Amino acid sequence: MTLTIGIDVGGTKVAGGVVDELGNVLASNRRPTPADDPAGTRDTIVEVAAELVGQYPQATAIGIGAAAWIDATGSTVLFAPNLAWRDEPLRDYVSKAIGLPVVLDNDANVAAWAEFRFGVGKQAESMVMITVGTGIGGAIVVNGNLWRGAHGIAAELGHIQSVPDGHPCGCGRLGCLEQYASGNALVRFGRAGARQEPERAARLLELAGGDALAITGRQITEAARAGDGVAMDAFAQVGYWLGVALADLAQSLDPQIMVIGGGVIDAGPLLMGPLERTYREQLANRDRFPVAAIHAARMGNAAGVVGAADLARRG
């Protein structure tokens, strides 16, 4: 059985694993990401890979998923907002250091690929995935292949516009989906609601020590589960904007399934309920035609490692 190595590079950690053809992780390790040091991050990836190759010398290739924009050749990190990389020739550097072929891709792409191959999408031919965390990532699978676009940066779904002239986004545009449906947006909605309607945010403010500006995403989830009105409203707003975006994507791409991944889905029905309700309402006039069902991702924290390793296996 062919073994490959997957490495998931984020703003806080570099996680690696040895993965078999069935998507099982046989060994894993991790290091903190020196995010403000591009060369240090690059060398941390090499350390993680070298340790795993030492354990499993029969590994045949390495896949890397990075929170970054990757060029069309899959060799260079063009830009990584949380990793300080600019035009970093990462693929060839790691390949030369370890002595194995390397495949480099965006982190949302590799997570989606794991879901497509081993998770909720394994019976599908086409899939759209939105990953909801601090920000929003996306990936599109068409006819069994990741769609990377002409320049390698397709499916930046967090940066489709939701609200004209809305909140400014780090990408330079106004009103991006990321500003209304991410983990950061959830916190912004919760803090604003607690300031405006403190009587409906009693549990949320209690968890935050009475300071609306100290509210966190975890506190919003806990308070919403306890029935806090403002916390539930925050999830309803995030779910609404995700539902609208998914309806637009269904109209544009007509995939077999839609997948929601990332840390925010741990909230379960608090998020998925308003999301699915909005999605159905937005597509109410398409009742003569089938539309993609929405699924929560299954692969969890292993998705990046497993997806990167499987893409490496395919070359």
PDB file of all heavy atoms in Angstrom, residues 201-241:
ATOM      1  N   ALA A 201     -28.821  39.544  26.362  1.00  0.00           N
ATOM      2  CA  ALA A 201     -27.501  38.924  26.309  1.00  0.00           C
ATOM      3  C   ALA A 201     -26.980  38.609  27.701  1.00  0.00           C
ATOM      4  O   ALA A 201     -25.769  38.614  27.932  1.00  0.00           O
ATOM      5  CB  ALA A 201     -26.534  39.848  25.578  1.00  0.00           C
ATOM      6  N   ALA A 202     -27.889  38.311  28.618  1.00  0.00           N
ATOM      7  CA  ALA A 202     -27.491  38.120  30.015  1.00  0.00           C
ATOM      8  C   ALA A 202     -26.454  37.012  30.163  1.00  0.00           C
ATOM      9  O   ALA A 202     -25.416  37.200  30.829  1.00  0.00           O
ATOM     10  CB  ALA A 202     -28.717  37.819  30.867  1.00  0.00           C
ATOM     11  N   ARG A 203     -26.689  35.861  29.561  1.00  0.00           N
ATOM     12  CA  ARG A 203     -25.753  34.738  29.690  1.00  0.00           C
ATOM     13  C   ARG A 203     -24.445  35.042  28.972  1.00  0.00           C
ATOM     14  O   ARG A 203     -23.362  34.752  29.489  1.00  0.00           O
ATOM     15  CB  ARG A 203     -26.381  33.466  29.119  1.00  0.00           C
ATOM     16  CG  ARG A 203     -25.487  32.233  29.163  1.00  0.00           C
ATOM     17  CD  ARG A 203     -25.044  31.906  30.572  1.00  0.00           C
ATOM     18  NE  ARG A 203     -24.219  30.713  30.628  1.00  0.00           N
ATOM     19  CZ  ARG A 203     -23.315  30.464  31.564  1.00  0.00           C
ATOM     20  NH1 ARG A 203     -23.120  31.349  32.552  1.00  0.00           N
ATOM     21  NH2 ARG A 203     -22.614  29.358  31.541  1.00  0.00           N
ATOM     22  N   LEU A 204     -24.533  35.654  27.815  1.00  0.00           N
ATOM     23  CA  LEU A 204     -23.336  35.977  27.045  1.00  0.00           C
ATOM     24  C   LEU A 204     -22.455  36.962  27.798  1.00  0.00           C
ATOM     25  O   LEU A 204     -21.231  36.779  27.894  1.00  0.00           O
ATOM     26  CB  LEU A 204     -23.759  36.545  25.689  1.00  0.00           C
ATOM     27  CG  LEU A 204     -22.671  36.807  24.666  1.00  0.00           C
ATOM     28  CD1 LEU A 204     -21.798  35.590  24.433  1.00  0.00           C
ATOM     29  CD2 LEU A 204     -23.300  37.272  23.355  1.00  0.00           C
ATOM     30  N   LEU A 205     -23.047  37.980  28.360  1.00  0.00           N
ATOM     31  CA  LEU A 205     -22.272  38.955  29.117  1.00  0.00           C
ATOM     32  C   LEU A 205     -21.716  38.354  30.400  1.00  0.00           C
ATOM     33  O   LEU A 205     -20.602  38.694  30.832  1.00  0.00           O
ATOM     34  CB  LEU A 205     -23.138  40.173  29.430  1.00  0.00           C
ATOM     35  CG  LEU A 205     -23.400  41.095  28.236  1.00  0.00           C
ATOM     36  CD1 LEU A 205     -24.499  42.092  28.560  1.00  0.00           C
ATOM     37  CD2 LEU A 205     -22.117  41.815  27.832  1.00  0.00           C
ATOM     38  N   GLU A 206     -22.453  37.453  30.999  1.00  0.00           N
ATOM     39  CA  GLU A 206     -21.946  36.768  32.192  1.00  0.00           C
ATOM     40  C   GLU A 206     -20.668  35.998  31.860  1.00  0.00           C
ATOM     41  O   GLU A 206     -19.667  36.050  32.598  1.00  0.00           O
ATOM     42  CB  GLU A 206     -23.007  35.809  32.728  1.00  0.00           C
ATOM     43  CG  GLU A 206     -22.579  35.029  33.958  1.00  0.00           C
ATOM     44  CD  GLU A 206     -23.607  33.984  34.384  1.00  0.00           C
ATOM     45  OE1 GLU A 206     -24.710  33.955  33.803  1.00  0.00           O
ATOM     46  OE2 GLU A 206     -23.291  33.191  35.291  1.00  0.00           O
ATOM     47  N   LEU A 207     -20.677  35.282  30.734  1.00  0.00           N
ATOM     48  CA  LEU A 207     -19.504  34.511  30.328  1.00  0.00           C
ATOM     49  C   LEU A 207     -18.319  35.422  30.013  1.00  0.00           C
ATOM     50  O   LEU A 207     -17.158  35.037  30.201  1.00  0.00           O
ATOM     51  CB  LEU A 207     -19.837  33.658  29.100  1.00  0.00           C
ATOM     52  CG  LEU A 207     -20.796  32.498  29.326  1.00  0.00           C
ATOM     53  CD1 LEU A 207     -21.236  31.899  27.992  1.00  0.00           C
ATOM     54  CD2 LEU A 207     -20.132  31.414  30.189  1.00  0.00           C
ATOM     55  N   ALA A 208     -18.609  36.637  29.530  1.00  0.00           N
ATOM     56  CA  ALA A 208     -17.552  37.576  29.151  1.00  0.00           C
ATOM     57  C   ALA A 208     -17.174  38.517  30.281  1.00  0.00           C
ATOM     58  O   ALA A 208     -16.471  39.505  30.051  1.00  0.00           O
ATOM     59  CB  ALA A 208     -17.998  38.376  27.927  1.00  0.00           C
ATOM     60  N   GLY A 209     -17.622  38.238  31.496  1.00  0.00           N
ATOM     61  CA  GLY A 209     -17.284  39.081  32.632  1.00  0.00           C
ATOM     62  C   GLY A 209     -17.909  40.461  32.563  1.00  0.00           C
ATOM     63  O   GLY A 209     -17.373  41.420  33.119  1.00  0.00           O
ATOM     64  N   GLY A 210     -19.038  40.565  31.867  1.00  0.00           N
ATOM     65  CA  GLY A 210     -19.747  41.837  31.761  1.00  0.00           C
ATOM     66  C   GLY A 210     -19.226  42.781  30.706  1.00  0.00           C
ATOM     67  O   GLY A 210     -19.775  43.871  30.523  1.00  0.00           O
ATOM     68  N   ASP A 211     -18.201  42.379  29.974  1.00  0.00           N
ATOM     69  CA  ASP A 211     -17.573  43.254  28.975  1.00  0.00           C
ATOM     70  C   ASP A 211     -17.927  42.760  27.578  1.00  0.00           C
ATOM     71  O   ASP A 211     -17.420  41.728  27.121  1.00  0.00           O
ATOM     72  CB  ASP A 211     -16.063  43.254  29.172  1.00  0.00           C
ATOM     73  CG  ASP A 211     -15.343  44.180  28.208  1.00  0.00           C
ATOM     74  OD1 ASP A 211     -16.008  44.839  27.391  1.00  0.00           O
ATOM     75  OD2 ASP A 211     -14.094  44.227  28.268  1.00  0.00           O
ATOM     76  N   ALA A 212     -18.770  43.503  26.880  1.00  0.00           N
ATOM     77  CA  ALA A 212     -19.192  43.081  25.540  1.00  0.00           C
ATOM     78  C   ALA A 212     -18.012  42.939  24.592  1.00  0.00           C
ATOM     79  O   ALA A 212     -18.005  42.069  23.708  1.00  0.00           O
ATOM     80  CB  ALA A 212     -20.207  44.071  24.973  1.00  0.00           C
ATOM     81  N   LEU A 213     -16.993  43.773  24.748  1.00  0.00           N
ATOM     82  CA  LEU A 213     -15.845  43.722  23.848  1.00  0.00           C
ATOM     83  C   LEU A 213     -14.947  42.515  24.110  1.00  0.00           C
ATOM     84  O   LEU A 213     -14.039  42.234  23.319  1.00  0.00           O
ATOM     85  CB  LEU A 213     -15.033  45.017  23.968  1.00  0.00           C
ATOM     86  CG  LEU A 213     -15.746  46.281  23.484  1.00  0.00           C
ATOM     87  CD1 LEU A 213     -14.853  47.500  23.694  1.00  0.00           C
ATOM     88  CD2 LEU A 213     -16.132  46.160  22.015  1.00  0.00           C
ATOM     89  N   ALA A 214     -15.179  41.814  25.216  1.00  0.00           N
ATOM     90  CA  ALA A 214     -14.382  40.625  25.538  1.00  0.00           C
ATOM     91  C   ALA A 214     -15.046  39.334  25.048  1.00  0.00           C
ATOM     92  O   ALA A 214     -14.504  38.240  25.248  1.00  0.00           O
ATOM     93  CB  ALA A 214     -14.150  40.544  27.044  1.00  0.00           C
ATOM     94  N   ILE A 215     -16.201  39.434  24.429  1.00  0.00           N
ATOM     95  CA  ILE A 215     -16.932  38.247  23.979  1.00  0.00           C
ATOM     96  C   ILE A 215     -16.131  37.498  22.918  1.00  0.00           C
ATOM     97  O   ILE A 215     -15.559  38.095  22.002  1.00  0.00           O
ATOM     98  CB  ILE A 215     -18.313  38.666  23.426  1.00  0.00           C
ATOM     99  CG1 ILE A 215     -19.225  39.104  24.571  1.00  0.00           C
ATOM    100  CG2 ILE A 215     -18.960  37.530  22.640  1.00  0.00           C
ATOM    101  CD1 ILE A 215     -20.523  39.739  24.123  1.00  0.00           C
ATOM    102  N   THR A 216     -16.113  36.170  23.034  1.00  0.00           N
ATOM    103  CA  THR A 216     -15.406  35.305  22.085  1.00  0.00           C
ATOM    104  C   THR A 216     -16.397  34.391  21.369  1.00  0.00           C
ATOM    105  O   THR A 216     -17.546  34.240  21.785  1.00  0.00           O
ATOM    106  CB  THR A 216     -14.370  34.427  22.802  1.00  0.00           C
ATOM    107  OG1 THR A 216     -15.066  33.498  23.660  1.00  0.00           O
ATOM    108  CG2 THR A 216     -13.412  35.262  23.638  1.00  0.00           C
ATOM    109  N   GLY A 217     -15.911  33.760  20.325  1.00  0.00           N
ATOM    110  CA  GLY A 217     -16.759  32.826  19.593  1.00  0.00           C
ATOM    111  C   GLY A 217     -17.206  31.656  20.440  1.00  0.00           C
ATOM    112  O   GLY A 217     -18.364  31.221  20.356  1.00  0.00           O
ATOM    113  N   ARG A 218     -16.321  31.114  21.250  1.00  0.00           N
ATOM    114  CA  ARG A 218     -16.692  29.995  22.118  1.00  0.00           C
ATOM    115  C   ARG A 218     -17.787  30.401  23.097  1.00  0.00           C
ATOM    116  O   ARG A 218     -18.710  29.624  23.383  1.00  0.00           O
ATOM    117  CB  ARG A 218     -15.470  29.491  22.892  1.00  0.00           C
ATOM    118  CG  ARG A 218     -14.454  28.747  22.037  1.00  0.00           C
ATOM    119  CD  ARG A 218     -13.319  28.212  22.891  1.00  0.00           C
ATOM    120  NE  ARG A 218     -12.326  27.529  22.094  1.00  0.00           N
ATOM    121  CZ  ARG A 218     -12.393  26.252  21.738  1.00  0.00           C
ATOM    122  NH1 ARG A 218     -13.428  25.528  22.103  1.00  0.00           N
ATOM    123  NH2 ARG A 218     -11.432  25.710  21.006  1.00  0.00           N
ATOM    124  N   GLN A 219     -17.691  31.603  23.601  1.00  0.00           N
ATOM    125  CA  GLN A 219     -18.722  32.085  24.532  1.00  0.00           C
ATOM    126  C   GLN A 219     -20.063  32.246  23.828  1.00  0.00           C
ATOM    127  O   GLN A 219     -21.115  31.952  24.411  1.00  0.00           O
ATOM    128  CB  GLN A 219     -18.280  33.402  25.156  1.00  0.00           C
ATOM    129  CG  GLN A 219     -17.116  33.259  26.123  1.00  0.00           C
ATOM    130  CD  GLN A 219     -16.472  34.586  26.476  1.00  0.00           C
ATOM    131  OE1 GLN A 219     -16.798  35.628  25.898  1.00  0.00           O
ATOM    132  NE2 GLN A 219     -15.546  34.562  27.429  1.00  0.00           N
ATOM    133  N   ILE A 220     -20.040  32.703  22.597  1.00  0.00           N
ATOM    134  CA  ILE A 220     -21.289  32.836  21.838  1.00  0.00           C
ATOM    135  C   ILE A 220     -21.929  31.468  21.640  1.00  0.00           C
ATOM    136  O   ILE A 220     -23.142  31.299  21.801  1.00  0.00           O
ATOM    137  CB  ILE A 220     -21.033  33.538  20.492  1.00  0.00           C
ATOM    138  CG1 ILE A 220     -20.602  34.985  20.726  1.00  0.00           C
ATOM    139  CG2 ILE A 220     -22.294  33.505  19.618  1.00  0.00           C
ATOM    140  CD1 ILE A 220     -20.130  35.696  19.479  1.00  0.00           C
ATOM    141  N   THR A 221     -21.118  30.474  21.329  1.00  0.00           N
ATOM    142  CA  THR A 221     -21.656  29.120  21.154  1.00  0.00           C
ATOM    143  C   THR A 221     -22.251  28.605  22.452  1.00  0.00           C
ATOM    144  O   THR A 221     -23.376  28.076  22.479  1.00  0.00           O
ATOM    145  CB  THR A 221     -20.550  28.168  20.667  1.00  0.00           C
ATOM    146  OG1 THR A 221     -20.010  28.659  19.441  1.00  0.00           O
ATOM    147  CG2 THR A 221     -21.096  26.768  20.450  1.00  0.00           C
ATOM    148  N   GLU A 222     -21.528  28.758  23.544  1.00  0.00           N
ATOM    149  CA  GLU A 222     -22.035  28.279  24.838  1.00  0.00           C
ATOM    150  C   GLU A 222     -23.307  29.011  25.236  1.00  0.00           C
ATOM    151  O   GLU A 222     -24.279  28.390  25.691  1.00  0.00           O
ATOM    152  CB  GLU A 222     -20.964  28.467  25.913  1.00  0.00           C
ATOM    153  CG  GLU A 222     -21.389  27.945  27.292  1.00  0.00           C
ATOM    154  CD  GLU A 222     -20.310  28.078  28.342  1.00  0.00           C
ATOM    155  OE1 GLU A 222     -19.120  28.255  27.969  1.00  0.00           O
ATOM    156  OE2 GLU A 222     -20.653  28.010  29.542  1.00  0.00           O
ATOM    157  N   ALA A 223     -23.335  30.320  25.056  1.00  0.00           N
ATOM    158  CA  ALA A 223     -24.511  31.095  25.423  1.00  0.00           C
ATOM    159  C   ALA A 223     -25.705  30.747  24.543  1.00  0.00           C
ATOM    160  O   ALA A 223     -26.848  30.655  25.023  1.00  0.00           O
ATOM    161  CB  ALA A 223     -24.199  32.587  25.330  1.00  0.00           C
ATOM    162  N   ALA A 224     -25.464  30.545  23.250  1.00  0.00           N
ATOM    163  CA  ALA A 224     -26.559  30.187  22.345  1.00  0.00           C
ATOM    164  C   ALA A 224     -27.154  28.845  22.723  1.00  0.00           C
ATOM    165  O   ALA A 224     -28.385  28.662  22.676  1.00  0.00           O
ATOM    166  CB  ALA A 224     -26.057  30.167  20.903  1.00  0.00           C
ATOM    167  N   ARG A 225     -26.325  27.900  23.124  1.00  0.00           N
ATOM    168  CA  ARG A 225     -26.841  26.594  23.553  1.00  0.00           C
ATOM    169  C   ARG A 225     -27.685  26.705  24.814  1.00  0.00           C
ATOM    170  O   ARG A 225     -28.572  25.889  25.068  1.00  0.00           O
ATOM    171  CB  ARG A 225     -25.681  25.625  23.771  1.00  0.00           C
ATOM    172  CG  ARG A 225     -25.065  25.135  22.468  1.00  0.00           C
ATOM    173  CD  ARG A 225     -23.857  24.276  22.693  1.00  0.00           C
ATOM    174  NE  ARG A 225     -23.372  23.715  21.429  1.00  0.00           N
ATOM    175  CZ  ARG A 225     -22.120  23.377  21.178  1.00  0.00           C
ATOM    176  NH1 ARG A 225     -21.192  23.552  22.128  1.00  0.00           N
ATOM    177  NH2 ARG A 225     -21.777  22.881  20.000  1.00  0.00           N
ATOM    178  N   ALA A 226     -27.419  27.763  25.599  1.00  0.00           N
ATOM    179  CA  ALA A 226     -28.204  27.998  26.821  1.00  0.00           C
ATOM    180  C   ALA A 226     -29.428  28.873  26.549  1.00  0.00           C
ATOM    181  O   ALA A 226     -30.145  29.228  27.488  1.00  0.00           O
ATOM    182  CB  ALA A 226     -27.321  28.655  27.873  1.00  0.00           C
ATOM    183  N   GLY A 227     -29.651  29.227  25.268  1.00  0.00           N
ATOM    184  CA  GLY A 227     -30.836  29.988  24.917  1.00  0.00           C
ATOM    185  C   GLY A 227     -30.675  31.495  24.930  1.00  0.00           C
ATOM    186  O   GLY A 227     -31.674  32.220  24.845  1.00  0.00           O
ATOM    187  N   ASP A 228     -29.451  32.002  25.024  1.00  0.00           N
ATOM    188  CA  ASP A 228     -29.222  33.445  25.022  1.00  0.00           C
ATOM    189  C   ASP A 228     -29.689  34.039  23.693  1.00  0.00           C
ATOM    190  O   ASP A 228     -29.257  33.607  22.613  1.00  0.00           O
ATOM    191  CB  ASP A 228     -27.734  33.719  25.231  1.00  0.00           C
ATOM    192  CG  ASP A 228     -27.399  35.199  25.314  1.00  0.00           C
ATOM    193  OD1 ASP A 228     -27.253  35.830  24.250  1.00  0.00           O
ATOM    194  OD2 ASP A 228     -27.286  35.698  26.438  1.00  0.00           O
ATOM    195  N   GLY A 229     -30.541  35.059  23.748  1.00  0.00           N
ATOM    196  CA  GLY A 229     -31.140  35.608  22.545  1.00  0.00           C
ATOM    197  C   GLY A 229     -30.154  36.243  21.594  1.00  0.00           C
ATOM    198  O   GLY A 229     -30.210  36.021  20.381  1.00  0.00           O
ATOM    199  N   VAL A 230     -29.241  37.048  22.106  1.00  0.00           N
ATOM    200  CA  VAL A 230     -28.266  37.717  21.254  1.00  0.00           C
ATOM    201  C   VAL A 230     -27.320  36.704  20.615  1.00  0.00           C
ATOM    202  O   VAL A 230     -26.983  36.812  19.426  1.00  0.00           O
ATOM    203  CB  VAL A 230     -27.483  38.779  22.054  1.00  0.00           C
ATOM    204  CG1 VAL A 230     -26.211  39.200  21.319  1.00  0.00           C
ATOM    205  CG2 VAL A 230     -28.372  39.991  22.306  1.00  0.00           C
ATOM    206  N   ALA A 231     -26.884  35.717  21.366  1.00  0.00           N
ATOM    207  CA  ALA A 231     -25.987  34.698  20.821  1.00  0.00           C
ATOM    208  C   ALA A 231     -26.675  33.912  19.713  1.00  0.00           C
ATOM    209  O   ALA A 231     -26.079  33.623  18.667  1.00  0.00           O
ATOM    210  CB  ALA A 231     -25.519  33.767  21.927  1.00  0.00           C
ATOM    211  N   MET A 232     -27.944  33.567  19.918  1.00  0.00           N
ATOM    212  CA  MET A 232     -28.685  32.850  18.880  1.00  0.00           C
ATOM    213  C   MET A 232     -28.877  33.724  17.649  1.00  0.00           C
ATOM    214  O   MET A 232     -28.793  33.242  16.516  1.00  0.00           O
ATOM    215  CB  MET A 232     -30.033  32.389  19.432  1.00  0.00           C
ATOM    216  CG  MET A 232     -29.905  31.330  20.527  1.00  0.00           C
ATOM    217  SD  MET A 232     -31.485  30.899  21.287  1.00  0.00           S
ATOM    218  CE  MET A 232     -32.254  30.007  19.931  1.00  0.00           C
ATOM    219  N   ASP A 233     -29.109  35.018  17.865  1.00  0.00           N
ATOM    220  CA  ASP A 233     -29.230  35.939  16.734  1.00  0.00           C
ATOM    221  C   ASP A 233     -27.933  36.011  15.930  1.00  0.00           C
ATOM    222  O   ASP A 233     -27.964  36.135  14.694  1.00  0.00           O
ATOM    223  CB  ASP A 233     -29.579  37.346  17.224  1.00  0.00           C
ATOM    224  CG  ASP A 233     -31.022  37.476  17.679  1.00  0.00           C
ATOM    225  OD1 ASP A 233     -31.808  36.532  17.460  1.00  0.00           O
ATOM    226  OD2 ASP A 233     -31.354  38.528  18.272  1.00  0.00           O
ATOM    227  N   ALA A 234     -26.796  35.968  16.621  1.00  0.00           N
ATOM    228  CA  ALA A 234     -25.510  36.028  15.928  1.00  0.00           C
ATOM    229  C   ALA A 234     -25.361  34.835  14.990  1.00  0.00           C
ATOM    230  O   ALA A 234     -24.932  34.986  13.825  1.00  0.00           O
ATOM    231  CB  ALA A 234     -24.363  36.074  16.936  1.00  0.00           C
ATOM    232  N   PHE A 235     -25.719  33.656  15.462  1.00  0.00           N
ATOM    233  CA  PHE A 235     -25.669  32.470  14.594  1.00  0.00           C
ATOM    234  C   PHE A 235     -26.677  32.581  13.459  1.00  0.00           C
ATOM    235  O   PHE A 235     -26.407  32.164  12.324  1.00  0.00           O
ATOM    236  CB  PHE A 235     -25.921  31.202  15.401  1.00  0.00           C
ATOM    237  CG  PHE A 235     -24.677  30.645  16.023  1.00  0.00           C
ATOM    238  CD1 PHE A 235     -24.481  30.727  17.395  1.00  0.00           C
ATOM    239  CD2 PHE A 235     -23.693  30.052  15.258  1.00  0.00           C
ATOM    240  CE1 PHE A 235     -23.336  30.223  17.984  1.00  0.00           C
ATOM    241  CE2 PHE A 235     -22.535  29.546  15.833  1.00  0.00           C
ATOM    242  CZ  PHE A 235     -22.356  29.633  17.201  1.00  0.00           C
ATOM    243  N   ALA A 236     -27.841  33.147  13.743  1.00  0.00           N
ATOM    244  CA  ALA A 236     -28.856  33.300  12.701  1.00  0.00           C
ATOM    245  C   ALA A 236     -28.359  34.206  11.581  1.00  0.00           C
ATOM    246  O   ALA A 236     -28.615  33.954  10.394  1.00  0.00           O
ATOM    247  CB  ALA A 236     -30.144  33.852  13.299  1.00  0.00           C
ATOM    248  N   GLN A 237     -27.628  35.263  11.945  1.00  0.00           N
ATOM    249  CA  GLN A 237     -27.091  36.160  10.920  1.00  0.00           C
ATOM    250  C   GLN A 237     -26.023  35.476  10.083  1.00  0.00           C
ATOM    251  O   GLN A 237     -26.029  35.573   8.843  1.00  0.00           O
ATOM    252  CB  GLN A 237     -26.518  37.415  11.583  1.00  0.00           C
ATOM    253  CG  GLN A 237     -27.571  38.317  12.185  1.00  0.00           C
ATOM    254  CD  GLN A 237     -26.952  39.561  12.798  1.00  0.00           C
ATOM    255  OE1 GLN A 237     -26.603  40.510  12.096  1.00  0.00           O
ATOM    256  NE2 GLN A 237     -26.801  39.552  14.113  1.00  0.00           N
ATOM    257  N   VAL A 238     -25.113  34.769  10.726  1.00  0.00           N
ATOM    258  CA  VAL A 238     -24.082  34.036   9.974  1.00  0.00           C
ATOM    259  C   VAL A 238     -24.736  32.993   9.074  1.00  0.00           C
ATOM    260  O   VAL A 238     -24.380  32.845   7.893  1.00  0.00           O
ATOM    261  CB  VAL A 238     -23.078  33.391  10.943  1.00  0.00           C
ATOM    262  CG1 VAL A 238     -22.174  32.400  10.211  1.00  0.00           C
ATOM    263  CG2 VAL A 238     -22.230  34.463  11.619  1.00  0.00           C
ATOM    264  N   GLY A 239     -25.702  32.249   9.616  1.00  0.00           N
ATOM    265  CA  GLY A 239     -26.394  31.239   8.825  1.00  0.00           C
ATOM    266  C   GLY A 239     -27.126  31.834   7.639  1.00  0.00           C
ATOM    267  O   GLY A 239     -27.144  31.254   6.539  1.00  0.00           O
ATOM    268  N   TYR A 240     -27.733  33.008   7.853  1.00  0.00           N
ATOM    269  CA  TYR A 240     -28.441  33.667   6.749  1.00  0.00           C
ATOM    270  C   TYR A 240     -27.483  33.971   5.594  1.00  0.00           C
ATOM    271  O   TYR A 240     -27.763  33.638   4.433  1.00  0.00           O
ATOM    272  CB  TYR A 240     -29.098  34.961   7.247  1.00  0.00           C
ATOM    273  CG  TYR A 240     -29.652  35.800   6.115  1.00  0.00           C
ATOM    274  CD1 TYR A 240     -30.879  35.506   5.542  1.00  0.00           C
ATOM    275  CD2 TYR A 240     -28.918  36.865   5.593  1.00  0.00           C
ATOM    276  CE1 TYR A 240     -31.371  36.246   4.472  1.00  0.00           C
ATOM    277  CE2 TYR A 240     -29.400  37.616   4.529  1.00  0.00           C
ATOM    278  CZ  TYR A 240     -30.629  37.307   3.976  1.00  0.00           C
ATOM    279  OH  TYR A 240     -31.102  38.037   2.925  1.00  0.00           O
ATOM    280  N   TRP A 241     -26.372  34.613   5.897  1.00  0.00           N
ATOM    281  CA  TRP A 241     -25.467  35.004   4.824  1.00  0.00           C
ATOM    282  C   TRP A 241     -24.833  33.803   4.141  1.00  0.00           C
ATOM    283  O   TRP A 241     -24.627  33.811   2.918  1.00  0.00           O
ATOM    284  CB  TRP A 241     -24.396  35.958   5.357  1.00  0.00           C
ATOM    285  CG  TRP A 241     -24.957  37.302   5.713  1.00  0.00           C
ATOM    286  CD1 TRP A 241     -25.067  37.863   6.951  1.00  0.00           C
ATOM    287  CD2 TRP A 241     -25.531  38.252   4.806  1.00  0.00           C
ATOM    288  NE1 TRP A 241     -25.674  39.090   6.879  1.00  0.00           N
ATOM    289  CE2 TRP A 241     -25.966  39.360   5.578  1.00  0.00           C
ATOM    290  CE3 TRP A 241     -25.714  38.278   3.425  1.00  0.00           C
ATOM    291  CZ2 TRP A 241     -26.567  40.473   4.999  1.00  0.00           C
ATOM    292  CZ3 TRP A 241     -26.318  39.388   2.851  1.00  0.00           C
ATOM    293  CH2 TRP A 241     -26.736  40.465   3.638  1.00  0.00           C
TER     294      TRP A 241
END
